[in-house]
Every structure is written in structure tokens, then in C-alpha cells.
Amino acid sequence: MRIPVFAANWKMHKSGLEAMAWVREFALLTRELSADAAEVVIAPPFTAIAVAAEAVRGSHLTVAGQNLYFEREGAFTGEVSAGMLKAAGALSVIIGHSERRRLFGDTDESVRRKVAAAHGAGLTPIVCVGETLDERERGDTLAVLDAQVRAGLDGCSGDQIGALILAYEPVWAIGTGRNATAVEAGDAHAHIRRRLREWFGGAYAEHTRILYGGSVKPENIRELIGLADVDGALVGGASLDAASFASIVKKATS
Ligand code: 13P
């Protein structure tokens, strides 16, 4: 049984104080949620990670970074390493988000190195993959997913595959209000799991959580979470408000 994961990607939003207020409100709203019904992760900006980690202590929430740099330390102005995230209190880290790929030069190769760095520091990678609208319209969706999954996870052991988290985020669904339909998401997730089985073995692939991301809201979570290979959600806009994210988690688990 895969425990679903609901991850809030705050992107470039929220100070430490705002993160604390969010955690307080979310905890109140999800008092009834049993700890084994779902894992809930918040990914604040780097500057709020330590404060958020302190705020979630003793709750069922954990904290993730939104990115990392794969070197351990050195002259890399503006970058943050996996070990630094861990020391600040993060347990996981988002890697290869399409905004990082599109705006900040992340490639399948840098994703692979970041995944290895996360593993090296004991962080759970949350690896994002997904096609652009152009790629979907050209009929290249599955080939793009194959390339991103294969290259990004190259070198991982079976155990690491089982423990990491993938997020299928079609680029055209991010921040657009247009989520993938159940058929589109279901096909992509089933395809990714099939490939994980082929490449890494069924025993491991059954454990990998594959999240859906892209315009997830309280109104569409039930349909998405009902799909066999959708094991949770990576939520942007609708996670900024604690009440709407709490509603997503509650609807998905009730
Ligand atoms: P939205 O939920 O705002 O579409 O963003 C999705 C996303 O990019 C999560 O990582």
C-alpha cells in the first residue's frame, strides 16, 4: 500500500512568519487527519525552511526544499546544497520542476546529479517530469516522460526508486487552471509506473509514489486521486492558502 503524499510547493511565496501562520492554521484544520492516512509536505522558499521545520515539529507535516545544487560546498554564489537543506530541517527536496528547467537551465543531467546529491545527504527526492503543450500536440508525451525519467533516475538503486517520489506535472497544466483530464493523467501515470517496472523491477516500482501536479484544487482532487497510479498531488497556487490545501488533503483522504 502506498501512503499518498500531498506536497505544497509555495514557489517564491511566503516569509518565515507567513509560513508559521500557515502551519498553525493547517494544523487546526486537519486535526482529525490520521497520521497514516497521508504524508503532508510543505516546500517553502529556502529562507523559510528552518522556521517552517521548527513550526511543524511534533506534527505530521514535513518540510522540503524546492531545489538544490549538487555540489557539497564551494564557490557557488547563491546556491544551496543538499546537506544545507538537511541541516535546516528539510527531509525531502523538489528536483527538476519545469520552472527550473525552463527558466533556470535545469537539464536531465543536472536533475540526475541533484537526485544523487539528495540521496547522498539522506533527503527524499521529489523528481518532476512533464511535457510541454507543443510536445503533447506533437504526440511526444510518452517519449518525453521516458527520457526525463530514465535520465533523471539513472544510477539509482532499486531501493532508492521505491523510496523516492515522482511528480507528473504537464507543463501546460501548471498555473493555467486547466488540469489534465482523468484519462490524460491516468495514461501518463500508468506509463511511468510501467517503465519503472521495466527498468528497475516490479518490487521497487510498486512502492514509488507518483504525484500529479498542475492546477490541482479542492474541486478536482477526488477524481485525480481516484486513479490507480496517482499517489498524491504536488500543488502550487491552491497550496498558498492553508484552508484550500487542507480541503484538498481532506477530500483526497475521506
Ligand atoms: P499549480 O498548482 O499552481 O498549477 O502549480 C503546480 C506546480 O507547479 C506544483 O509544483
Side-chain angles (χ1 to χ4, degrees), residues 9 11 94 97 99 169 173-176 213-216 234-238:
N9 177 9
K11 308 192 178 183
I94 298 171
H97 191 281
E99 285 148 20
E169 298 206 310
I174 295 178
T176 58
S215 297
V216 172
L234 182 54
V235 186

Side-chain angles (χ1 to χ4, degrees), residues 32-76:
E32 327 276 74
L33 185 71
S34 103
D36 35 344
E39 289 174 23
V40 183
V41 181
I42 53 175
F46 290 144
T47 46
I49 285 181
V51 168
E54 188 56 39
V56 303
R57 196 193 291 256
S59 76
H60 53 267
L61 287 165
T62 62
V63 174
Q66 296 178 12
N67 180 37
L68 59 77
Y69 190 55
F70 44 71
E71 296 291 351
R72 285 157 69 97
E73 60 182 12
F76 304 106

Side-chain angles (χ1 to χ4, degrees), residues 134-153:
D134 259 12
E135 290 163 343
R136 174 163 284 272
E137 285 174 348
R138 270 190 265 125
D140 289 345
T141 298
L142 301 183
V144 168
L145 296 179
D146 282 354
Q148 291 178 342
V149 172
R150 177 116 230 191
L153 304 187

Side-chain angles (χ1 to χ4, degrees), residues 9-16 18-19 43-45 47-48 66 236-237 240:
N9 177 9
W10 290 346
K11 308 192 178 183
M12 201 169 74
H13 295 278
K14 294 194 194 296
S15 65
E18 289 166 333
T47 46
Q66 296 178 12
L240 294 176

Side-chain angles (χ1 to χ4, degrees), residues 67-70 82 93-96 101 107-128 148-149 151-157 160-161 164-166:
N67 180 37
L68 59 77
Y69 190 55
F70 44 71
V93 58
I94 298 171
I95 296 175
R101 294 178 191 256
T107 61
D108 290 339
E109 170 60 10
S110 69
V111 168
R112 184 189 65 74
R113 296 183 72 177
K114 290 179 180 193
V115 169
H119 280 140
L123 292 172
T124 301
I126 303 173
V127 183
C128 302
Q148 291 178 342
V149 172
L153 304 187
D154 192 32
C156 289
S157 69
Q160 287 171 335
I161 293 298
L164 61 71
I165 297 170
L166 277 169

